[in-house]
């Protein structure tokens, strides 16, 4: 990688929410930019928190909605 940076670690995240996101995108006619109601938004924090802790512990996910690159 140019600029003196190298990828030390690459992983996906938002993996646990991938099935729900695929279903929502398949059946929802909106643009996908709406903020969900507060109770739904709070419920989504649980799987994201689990993934955050797993990634911090060194777990890598092979698929997901987003990519995370640790550069060095």
């Amino acid at each position: 990688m140019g600029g003196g940076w190298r990828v030390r670690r690459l992983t996906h995240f938002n993996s646990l929410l991938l099935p729900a996101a695929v279903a929502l995108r398949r059946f929802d006619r909106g643009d996908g930019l709406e903020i969900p109601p507060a109770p739904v938004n709070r419920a989504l924090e649980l799987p994201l928190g689990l993934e955050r802790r797993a990634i911090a512990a060194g777990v890598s996910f092979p698929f997901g909605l987003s990519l995370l690159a640790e550069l060095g």
Side-chain angles (χ1 to χ4, degrees):
M1 192 170 176
W5 294 100
R6 68 179 184 88
V7 177
R8 294 192 313 186
R9 182 171 172 215
L10 184 66
T11 184
H12 286 86
F13 64 102
N14 285 332
S15 300
L16 298 174
L17 295 175
L18 182 61
V22 169
L24 184 63
R25 289 177 184 174
R26 170 70 174 98
F27 298 109
D28 186 22
R29 300 287 183 219
D31 60 11
L33 299 176
E34 300 84 16
I35 297 174
V40 174
N41 212 22
R42 279 192 297 277
L44 295 174
E45 291 177 2
L46 176 64
L48 292 174
L50 292 172
E51 285 188 14
R52 179 184 53 79
R53 288 188 290 281
I55 289 170
V59 174
S60 291
F61 293 92
F63 57 86
L65 294 165
S66 305
L67 281 172
L68 173 69
E70 182 181 325
L71 304 176

